[in-house]
Amino acid sequence: TPERLVVVALGDPDVAAVCRDLGARFDVDIEIVELPLGPDAHLPLARARNVAAARAEALGCRTLVFLDVDCIPSRTLVGTYAESVQDCAAAGTPDRTGPTVFAGSVAYLPPAPTEGYDLEALPELAPPHPARPAPEPGSRLQAEALRLFWSLSFALSTADFAATGGFDESYVGYGGKDTDFAMRLGAAGGSLWWLGGAAAFHQHHPTQNPPVQHVHDIVRNANLFARRWGWHPMEGWLAGFAEAGLASLDPSSGEWRVT
């Protein structure tokens, strides 16, 4: 189990009470950070991760494990991440020239039954996401494509988080911040490692593909990214928006526009 648990509440006044109840029931010290929403009510996800990291470091943490709120950790997730991060800090990893990020596999679960998920049976309910490697427990694989990084489950040291500069808080709302972080990692001479034994299980909730409810965020963040790095991320979603008549690429400016 983690030595410290930091929960960032994004404009949700019910989170604190839930965390206090859970902390008392399971004898876990839960640190709650309230992060209000801005006037546009878009979720400041990049800032939330930076705030979480800063609070954890202030509490004395030197190993950071990030996990999205809708993900269930496997029993070995925290220990595997911590061991890998601490081994890396002590002895280094092959070709280590900058910050090192570890990412475990994530499986997307089907809808939960009425009584909830059977936690012991989670691995049988869904395989790891097919778009990313899933090494066997006890092994790790260096990523060839940093752009596959996603922030729903990853770990690194506080020193390496600082070396990347953290998440760019110019990205507000959904999309773009993860790929930008990956580019920052690469610019800092860092590496991404897929880690076996640190599995997480993403709980099922309704979604859309492309995520039309986030079209304004995605278009804005894609343009912000392209101005910095020279290419547009989230190409599949942007193409889906174009096909649905929701967005188009302006050939004169090279930027996407919500239509």
Side-chain angles (χ1 to χ4, degrees):
T1 57
E3 293 181 4
R4 295 282 189 171
L5 179 59
V6 177
V7 175
V8 180
L10 297 176
D12 188 341
D14 295 329
V15 170
V18 170
C19 288
R20 281 194 296 267
D21 176 62
L22 291 173
R25 286 171 54 196
F26 296 101
D27 193 25
V28 175
D29 182 17
I30 302 178
E31 184 81 11
I32 304 154
V33 180
E34 300 279 358
L35 189 58
L37 304 186
D40 57 9
H42 292 191
L43 295 177
L45 298 171
R47 185 180 175 214
R49 290 187 171 86
N50 290 344
V51 166
R55 186 61 185 143
E57 185 170 16
L59 292 170
C61 300
R62 295 296 174 262
T63 297
L64 302 174
V65 174
F66 290 83
L67 192 67
D68 273 9
V69 71
D70 55 8
C71 289
I72 302 171
S74 62
R75 294 187 183 278
T76 57
L77 180 143
V78 171
T80 300
Y81 271 146
E83 182 179 7
S84 296
V85 170
Q86 291 160 14
D87 284 351
C88 174
T93 58
D95 303 320
R96 176 174 165 85
T97 57
T100 303
V101 173
F102 295 97
S105 65
V106 179
Y108 277 67
L109 297 171
T114 304
E115 64 276 13
Y117 293 111
D118 177 357
L119 298 183
E120 301 302 330
L122 291 180
E124 288 110 45
L125 293 180
H129 194 285
R132 285 154 178 87
E136 292 295 318
S139 62
R140 59 192 182 203
L141 176 68
Q142 186 169 7
E144 297 180 359
L146 291 177
R147 62 183 297 179
L148 289 180
F149 167 79
W150 51 0
S151 61
L152 74 174
S153 175
F154 72 102
L156 74 174
S157 68
T158 53
D160 280 358
F161 188 78
T164 68
F167 286 85
D168 188 334
E169 297 182 14
S170 301
Y171 293 87
V172 179
Y174 197 80
K177 65 192 180 305
D178 288 5
T179 314
D180 183 271
F181 182 86
M183 297 296 287
R184 286 168 165 243
L185 176 65
S191 59
L192 171 65
W193 293 79
W194 305 110
L195 185 62
F201 302 91
H202 181 279
Q203 299 180 73
H204 182 272
H205 57 74
T207 187
Q208 292 177 282
N209 189 22
V212 297
Q213 71 274 30
H214 299 298
V215 61
H216 290 276
D217 290 346
I218 289 171
V219 167
R220 176 190 178 277
N221 289 342
N223 288 330
L224 172 62
F225 183 98
R227 287 193 291 270
R228 296 197 175 154
W229 303 107
W231 52 279
H232 285 96
M234 305 176 284
E235 305 98 316
W237 288 346
L238 292 171
F241 293 151
E243 185 177 349
L246 297 174
S248 63
L249 182 64
D250 183 345
S252 60
S253 66
E255 295 200 338
W256 283 83
R257 307 292 183 197
V258 176
T259 57

